[in-house]
Amino acid sequence: MVRIRLPLAVLLIGAITFACGSSAATTPPPTATPMPTPTPNPHLTDPASVDTIYQDLRKAGLQITANTADAGEDPVKTIHLTYESWPLVLEQYTSAKALLAKTGFDPKKKPAFGDPAFEFAGLNILVAYGPRVQNTAPSSPDPRFVAAVTKLVDVIDPLLGPLEQSSVLAIYIPSATPVPTPTPKATPTKKPKPTRTPRPTKKP
């Protein structure tokens, strides 16, 4: 009797151990894929603040130095800065319409004497970069200033664009460049099939 019961007991213990081990191995639940977060739109609304523009220029890493700030009616606020050894002026007007009326900004005209080399208008903000030459019109600047104003546009265009400019040298503005529309393919016209001329019938 002992010889018969011992194998049965061993088998029962093994079955219980196997059952416990198999129940412990559970499949982990699948991890949920995180939903992509939408990128916030940085574009400002009219009237925008020059303080916001100044703060974003600093966040972008542009090496600018604040000099003075003026308050008034129109422009409401003016911030005088220095950027890459050139004057940089940010002017805030009550509206985009007031900006055009007060400054006479015209993107179709080149800078004349007394104007900076680069001026950009967007919403109610006017951005002027370069010294105001009093005896002659500003000439084509050094490449370092062209590179500097290009970085400047890269920051302010998403905020104020589409920008308009009055510059001695046209600077590429992404928002002002229209996206080319694809030209529709011309469908070939089918040539009409030639009609057969009936043969003359013989007279009897």
Side-chain angles (χ1 to χ4, degrees), residues 106-126:
D106 188 355
K108 296 179 182 179
K109 293 182 179 180
K110 290 283 188 180
F113 63 90
D115 295 332
F118 302 97
E119 275 190 326
F120 304 94
L123 300 179
N124 60 311
I125 304 294
L126 183 69

